[in-house]
């Protein structure tokens, strides 16, 4: 059954650098972004020198919130949930501005402290990575928060003044900035420890740096969520930023001028962060405080579900010709994957759920649409390699050959073994879905003997007419992909209940 624990939820995030409205379609565990709009207001610009919010930023933020309220009414949303972070909580005129916003727009801001900001950001990471462990590092304009995760639970949390807007007021030039950052990171390390194998980076400045890393490496998949960096690649990218013309770099990466202006300072924070905490891996999270607020509203039963499988089930329910056929297809094909671990089986299950959701696409482009959707869709709980694997399997669901597709550079993210496994999965779906469009497991079963190189199908003799020429050809192609001889036996089978 599809979990529908939430209706559409609108969240406003009033940050030190940006003001954003996100409307989540909360029907599934991995909700879609129904609407997403951001204004880079710079509320925290100059806060370190004046102690007050930026006047132009206040004007722009108020105008943005008025617009957001009107949009929410037009969408028939429940009252927006609004949160404000470092700039609003630290500025001496923050309370007055908050009151002005409420009087002129009706929106009441929830001003949170640094530890609560860290907790919500960590919960946002959990929305995409259930059971995650490591250190969450969320950088905003005026602050940077850390939180630890152990087996899907938020632990210690701390806030620091390491946001790039705040750091702009540090005296002493480049040397003074580096010394100040190092001293602040030492304080954070004393509280949090440095024993984390993985750091999850949350925040616009980190995402901008990740885009630069992709540009430097000529990385083929431009999806920021779950993008991975090594400590060495971070150091190399910081050097690359220092040597680059920021205007040219901004144009090549599609980064806004206001965001790119913060990147050199944020890059120095990240360089020192990596050296001080010594993680083995760094992962970019597109989910943060706003997603954490959504996670806060989810019932426990919904939180515990797999975001990938829930998203795929929801997509099947909404778009497939025969919702539920993906589950039956997976049952039918399951004997082929006896040697696969749980993670691979999870991707196979997701593929079966998605195998029919793009049927409305033109037949000549259906394979490409499948691949593009799988690799670029808002799916949580997927590494980049898993995205490409899923996409390639779905491509082979509709097309025998992968040669000549525009996605060939992405295949380099997979090993030859993974490419072959994706082809096997795709050819298996191509056969199973065509052989019996609704429930192949009710009329036939598969047996695979890898050591003997035999793929056997036992088919109920009452349905042997389903095994026509095209089905036979696709079954033979599946056997060829497995390197197995195919055998078909007709007999009376007990019907599945």
């Amino acid at each position: 059954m599809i979990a529908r624990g939430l209706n559409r939820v609108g969240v406003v995030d009033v940050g030190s650098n940006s003001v954003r409205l996100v409307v989540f379609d909360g029907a599934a565990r991995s909700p879609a972004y129904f609407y997403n709009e951001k204004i880079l207001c710079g509320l925290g610009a100059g806060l370190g020198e004046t102690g007050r919010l930026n006047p132009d930023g206040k004007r722009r933020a108020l105008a943005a919130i008025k617009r957001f309220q009107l949009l929410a009414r037009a969408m028939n949303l429940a009252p927006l949930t609004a949160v404000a972070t470092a700039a609003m909580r630290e500025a001496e005129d923050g309370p007055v501005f908050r009151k002005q916003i409420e009087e002129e727009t009706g929106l009441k801001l929830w001003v949170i402290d640094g530890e609560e900001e860290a907790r919500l950001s960590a919960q946002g990471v959990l929305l995409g990575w259930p059971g995650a462990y490591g250190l969450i590092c969320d950088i905003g304009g005026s602050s940077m928060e850390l939180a630890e995760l152990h087996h899907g639970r938020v632990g210690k949390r701390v806030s620091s003044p390491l946001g790039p807007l705040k750091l702009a007021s540090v005296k002493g030039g480049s040397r003074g900035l580096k010394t100040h950052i190092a001293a602040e990171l030492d304080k954070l390390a004393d509280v949090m420890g440095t024993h984390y194998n993985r750091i999850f980076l949350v925040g616009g400045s980190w995402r901008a740096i990740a885009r630069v890393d992709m540009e430097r490496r000529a990385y083929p998949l431009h999806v920021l969520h779950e993008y991975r960096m090594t400590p060495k690649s971070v150091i190399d990218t910081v050097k690359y930023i220092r040597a680059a013309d920021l205007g040219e770099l901004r144009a090549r990466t599609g980064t806004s001028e206001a965001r790119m202006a913060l990147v050199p300072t944020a890059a120095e924070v990240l360089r020192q962060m990596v050296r001080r905490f010594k993680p083995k891996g760094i992962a970019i999270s597109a989910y943060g405080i706003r997603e954490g607020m959504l996670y806060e509203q989810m019932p426990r039963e919904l939180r515990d579900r797999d975001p990938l499988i829930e998203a795929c089930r929801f997509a099947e329910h909404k778009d497939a010709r025969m919702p539920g056929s993906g589950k039956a297809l997976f049952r039918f094909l399951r004997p082929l994957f006896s040697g696969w671990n749980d993670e691979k089986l999870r991707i196979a299950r997701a593929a079966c759920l998605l195998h029919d959701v793009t049927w409305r696409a033109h037949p000549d482009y259906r394979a490409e649409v499948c691949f593009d959707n799988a690799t670029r869709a808002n799916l949580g709980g997927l590494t980049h390699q898993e995205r490409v694997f899923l996409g390639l399997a779905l491509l082979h669901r509709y097309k025998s050959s992968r040669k000549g597709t525009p996605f060939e550079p992405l295949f380099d993210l997979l090993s030859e073994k993974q490419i072959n496994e994706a082809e096997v999965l795709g050819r298996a779906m191509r056969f199973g879905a065509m052989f019996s469009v609704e429930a192949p497991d009710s009329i036939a079963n598969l047996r695979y003997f890898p050591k003997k190189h035999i793929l056997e199908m036992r088919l109920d003799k009452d349905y042997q007419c389903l095994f026509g020429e095209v089905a036979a050809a696709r079954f033979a192609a599946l056997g060829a992909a497995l390197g197995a001889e195919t055998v078909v036996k007709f007999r009376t089978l007990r019907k599945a209940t």
Side-chain angles (χ1 to χ4, degrees):
M1 184 177 70
I2 302 297
R4 304 187 65 89
L6 299 170
N7 294 314
R8 285 187 183 138
V9 176
V11 174
V12 174
D13 179 5
V14 180
S16 302
N17 193 42
S18 65
V19 177
R20 186 189 294 261
L21 167 67
V22 177
V23 179
F24 298 99
D25 187 339
R29 171 59 178 78
S30 185
Y33 291 86
F34 181 76
Y35 189 84
N36 193 339
E37 182 176 332
K38 173 183 69 176
I39 307 294
L40 291 172
C41 299
L43 270 175
L47 179 63
E49 295 93 344
T50 67
R52 299 178 65 83
L53 297 169
N54 180 276
D56 184 59
K58 289 167 65 176
R59 178 187 61 77
R60 297 180 69 196
L62 184 60
I65 292 171
K66 287 180 179 179
R67 169 176 163 78
F68 293 164
Q69 282 285 62
L70 289 173
L71 289 173
R73 289 175 195 150
M75 295 179 201
N76 294 316
L77 296 180
L80 295 172
T81 300
V83 64
T85 53
M88 287 289 285
R89 69 175 174 253
E90 294 176 8
E92 63 182 60
D93 57 338
V96 173
F97 184 49
R98 181 176 59 171
K99 184 177 180 181
Q100 180 185 359
I101 290 172
E102 186 173 358
E103 289 175 348
E104 295 191 25
T105 72
L107 189 67
K108 188 170 184 177
L109 292 183
W110 173 31
V111 180
I112 58 175
D113 62 26
E115 288 197 10
E116 180 65 6
E117 187 175 351
R119 186 184 72 85
L120 289 172
S121 293
Q123 289 196 160
V125 171
L126 289 176
L127 186 74
W129 282 286
Y133 63 92
L135 184 68
I136 311 304
C137 180
D138 181 2
I139 195 167
S142 295
S143 67
M144 186 179 83
E145 282 68 43
L146 301 182
E148 64 177 6
L149 284 177
H150 289 297
H151 303 294
R153 296 290 184 269
V154 183
K156 292 185 292 186
R157 309 181 297 278
V158 67
S159 182
S160 72
L162 285 177
L165 289 176
K166 180 69 71 67
L167 292 173
S169 63
V170 173
K171 307 299 183 184
S174 175
R175 180 173 294 181
L177 178 65
K178 290 179 181 179
T179 301
H180 177 78
I181 291 171
E184 291 296 329
L185 286 174
D186 284 342
K187 295 176 187 176
L188 294 176
D190 287 342
V191 175
M192 302 299 294
T194 58
H195 53 283
Y196 303 95
N197 285 335
R198 180 184 298 176
I199 293 179
F200 296 89
L201 298 180
V202 177
S205 292
W206 296 151
R207 292 193 294 274
I209 293 170
R211 285 193 187 97
V212 175
D213 191 69
M214 288 178 172
E215 172 71 16
R216 180 185 65 81
R217 295 175 55 199
Y219 189 76
L221 181 58
H222 296 167
V223 174
L224 285 169
H225 187 62
E226 261 282 13
Y227 179 64
R228 303 295 180 94
M229 296 186 287
T230 64
K232 183 181 184 305
S233 70
V234 168
I235 301 303
D236 290 344
T237 295
V238 172
K239 292 177 182 177
Y240 183 79
I241 291 169
R242 288 174 178 170
D245 179 293
L246 292 185
E248 292 181 2
L249 193 58
R250 180 176 70 82
R252 293 203 307 271
T253 58
T255 306
S256 71
E257 184 176 2
R259 178 67 68 193
M260 186 57 76
L262 305 179
V263 162
T265 302
E268 177 59 28
V269 175
L270 184 57
R271 182 187 72 85
Q272 293 203 41
M273 179 86 182
V274 166
R275 289 191 166 174
R276 186 69 181 84
F277 285 81
K278 296 181 175 61
K280 293 181 180 178
I282 298 107
I284 298 294
S285 173
Y287 300 165
I289 189 170
R290 294 171 294 275
E291 290 74 16
M293 294 169 71
L294 178 67
Y295 188 87
E296 186 92 345
Q297 299 180 50
M298 284 184 176
R300 172 59 61 185
E301 184 269 340
L302 194 56
R303 289 184 187 182
D304 290 342
R305 296 191 176 195
D306 184 324
L308 171 63
I309 299 303
E310 285 301 296
C312 294
R313 290 173 65 194
F314 184 68
E316 184 195 41
H317 178 78
K318 181 169 65 73
D319 294 324
R321 283 171 287 194
M322 286 174 288
S325 63
K327 183 178 181 180
L329 180 61
F330 179 69
R331 285 197 307 262
F332 177 59
L333 301 179
R334 178 67 178 81
L336 301 179
F337 313 122
S338 59
W340 288 24
N341 60 27
D342 288 344
E343 288 304 309
K344 285 183 181 178
L345 288 173
R346 175 175 172 264
I347 303 303
R349 183 182 175 196
C352 289
L353 291 169
L354 295 176
H355 86 278
D356 191 46
V357 300
T358 53
W359 65 273
R360 288 186 177 87
H362 190 283
D364 291 348
Y365 298 100
R366 201 170 287 156
E368 284 77 7
V369 170
C370 278
F371 187 95
D372 203 48
N373 283 349
T375 51
R376 303 179 195 279
N378 175 46
L379 297 173
L382 272 179
T383 67
H384 279 201
Q385 288 75 20
E386 288 170 337
R387 281 180 180 270
V388 176
F389 184 98
L390 178 61
L392 185 55
L394 289 167
L395 184 150
H396 278 297
R397 154 70 174 92
Y398 285 106
K399 190 173 183 179
S400 295
S401 175
R402 57 184 171 271
K403 291 182 180 179
T405 69
F407 311 115
E408 287 190 76
L410 295 175
F411 303 158
D412 291 339
L413 296 180
L414 302 180
S415 68
E416 193 62 35
K417 179 182 178 183
Q418 289 171 320
I419 289 173
N420 291 337
E421 289 174 337
E423 180 178 349
V424 167
L425 174 57
R427 288 186 182 277
M429 292 189 294
R430 185 170 173 80
F431 164 67
M434 176 268 176
F435 160 66
S436 175
V437 296
E438 186 174 9
D441 63 320
S442 68
I443 60 173
N445 57 57
L446 295 174
R447 295 201 299 174
Y448 176 45
F449 306 95
K451 292 182 179 180
K452 296 180 180 179
H453 304 288
I454 293 176
L455 173 61
E456 177 185 290
M457 182 174 72
R458 295 185 298 171
L459 172 61
D460 192 307
K461 62 183 181 182
D462 292 339
Y463 293 90
Q464 66 184 65
C465 58
L466 283 177
F467 196 68
E469 292 182 12
V470 178
R474 292 186 178 183
F475 188 56
L478 172 58
L482 288 166
E485 176 189 354
T486 55
V487 177
V488 180
K489 296 180 179 180
F490 301 102
R491 60 185 63 181
T492 301
L493 298 176
R494 185 176 63 180
K495 302 298 187 296
T497 58

